[in-house]
Amino acid sequence: MIPDLLVDIQNLNKKYNLAGGMFNSKKRVVHAVNNVNLQILRGETLGLVGESGCGKSTLARLIVRLEKPSSGQITFKGTNINLLHKESLKTYRRSVQLIFQDPYSSLNPRKAAAAIIKEPLTIHRIGDSKTHRGTVLELMAKVGLSAEQAQRYPHEFSGGQRQRIGIARALILRPELIIADEPVSALDVSIQAQILNLLKDLKQDYGLTYLFVSHDLNVIRHMSNRIAVMYLGQIVELAANNDLYESPLHPYTQMLLSALPGCHPHKKRKKALIRGEAIIESEQGCAFLSRCQYKLPVCSEQQPVLREISNKRFCACHLAGLIKEDE
């Protein structure tokens, strides 16, 4: 067993059956999460990055048990969460909390800030009304909100302040794992850095573990210790922060990084050739086949598996370790 293993995801799949359109009655199956194997270590920030629609948020919802997988399992501290029911599931959700993407729709407009933050304590029957107020005000101060704002309603706050309310709500139960699903994508750029630095400070103060979901590679680099790259429901690369950014192994990762503006005028990164859209032509071969400039015959015949290429560096590509960015 891996030391300090908090979450272990094994062979996880989530399929959705979609009805056909007006002129096509044939149903089709979408693999939102496709045979994912991933571990989250206690105390780390694991970044999960990929294009919109690649399955990042679905994976996050599966870990929180907002949805059930089609197959595979997720264990939290050795317990299979898919087997939890009622009280045991409620206890699990005290340990794993979610920060939502949209601070506008994730807050109840009919409740004041203090009531929103306090609600998890009421649901889980922790403490009483006397202790609740002190706990809420203490946490509001921790996330940068004042006691005078406690009775204000969501529409009276800015976007950044609303997200601070959402963060306080997630922290009120003192969870071990926070899943941050695109927590700054709906905010102005000027506010994003404040929220990201707040999350970093809270991680240190409360000893948290983060699964940080984003499509923004700069945000992921700022926040993460390790990074998992997701493409069409599959993890295609997993590496430490610096390793992935300095020498990406998978063609998809190279494509993503080549689109980033450079900070160093004398250090040039070759632009990877971007082809087409993210579609699966065949379940037999590589999911990235139609967009890859390095594809070989084996790529259309055999789906690559995520394997360790070097020390703690994993990649799902037949040519992993052989492709150089300057080629």
Side-chain angles (χ1 to χ4, degrees), residues 186-292:
L187 305 178
D188 292 340
V189 175
S190 59
I191 305 299
Q192 288 184 8
Q194 298 176 23
I195 298 300
L196 293 175
N197 289 331
L198 171 64
L199 289 171
K200 276 195 162 188
D201 292 341
L202 293 172
K203 179 179 183 294
Q204 295 298 321
D205 293 344
Y206 291 97
L208 298 168
T209 302
Y210 285 150
L211 174 63
F212 199 95
V213 180
S214 179
H215 67 276
D216 190 322
L217 286 155
N218 287 320
V219 168
I220 286 289
R221 185 170 199 176
H222 179 69
M223 292 297 297
S224 306
N225 305 116
R226 292 190 302 142
I227 300 168
V229 181
M230 199 167 190
Y231 183 76
L232 289 178
Q234 303 174 20
I235 302 297
V236 297
E237 186 164 355
L238 176 65
N241 187 320
N242 288 335
D243 290 340
L244 185 128
Y245 280 85
E246 293 300 322
S247 57
L249 297 178
H250 198 281
Y252 177 61
T253 311
Q254 294 177 9
M255 186 188 82
L256 290 177
L257 292 177
S258 72
L260 286 176
C263 297
H264 305 286
H266 302 297
K267 183 178 179 181
K268 296 184 180 294
R269 183 191 294 272
K270 182 190 174 185
K271 292 290 184 182
L273 182 60
I274 301 175
R275 304 169 183 260
E277 298 180 0
I279 58 171
I280 296 179
E281 294 182 340
S282 170
E283 292 187 11
Q284 185 177 357
C286 176
F288 192 63
L289 179 66
S290 63
R291 307 176 76 182
C292 184

Side-chain angles (χ1 to χ4, degrees), residues 103-104 107-116 140 145 148-159 161-162 165:
Y104 299 91
L107 303 180
N108 189 336
R110 297 176 180 270
K111 289 189 174 183
I116 292 172
M140 287 184 69
L145 298 171
E148 290 74 21
Q149 296 171 307
Q151 298 308 313
R152 294 183 186 177
Y153 289 83
H155 72 272
E156 299 178 86
F157 292 94
S158 68
Q161 290 173 327
R162 293 184 200 188
I165 295 172

Side-chain angles (χ1 to χ4, degrees), residues 85-103:
H85 299 284
K86 295 183 179 179
E87 288 303 316
S88 58
L89 179 58
K90 191 174 181 180
T91 300
Y92 167 71
R93 285 180 172 153
R94 285 182 59 177
S95 299
V96 181
Q97 287 289 301
L98 183 64
I99 299 173
F100 295 92
Q101 176 179 1
D102 188 359

Side-chain angles (χ1 to χ4, degrees), residues 7 31 42 54 63 105 138 141 155 170 185 209 276 283 286 301 304:
V7 178
H31 295 255
R42 188 184 303 275
C54 72
I63 296 173
S105 62
E138 178 186 350
H155 72 272
S185 63
T209 302
E283 292 187 11
C286 176
E301 300 166 0

Side-chain angles (χ1 to χ4, degrees), residues 289-300:
L289 179 66
S290 63
R291 307 176 76 182
C292 184
Q293 60 182 313
Y294 306 107
K295 57 188 174 185
L296 298 174
V298 67
C299 301
S300 60

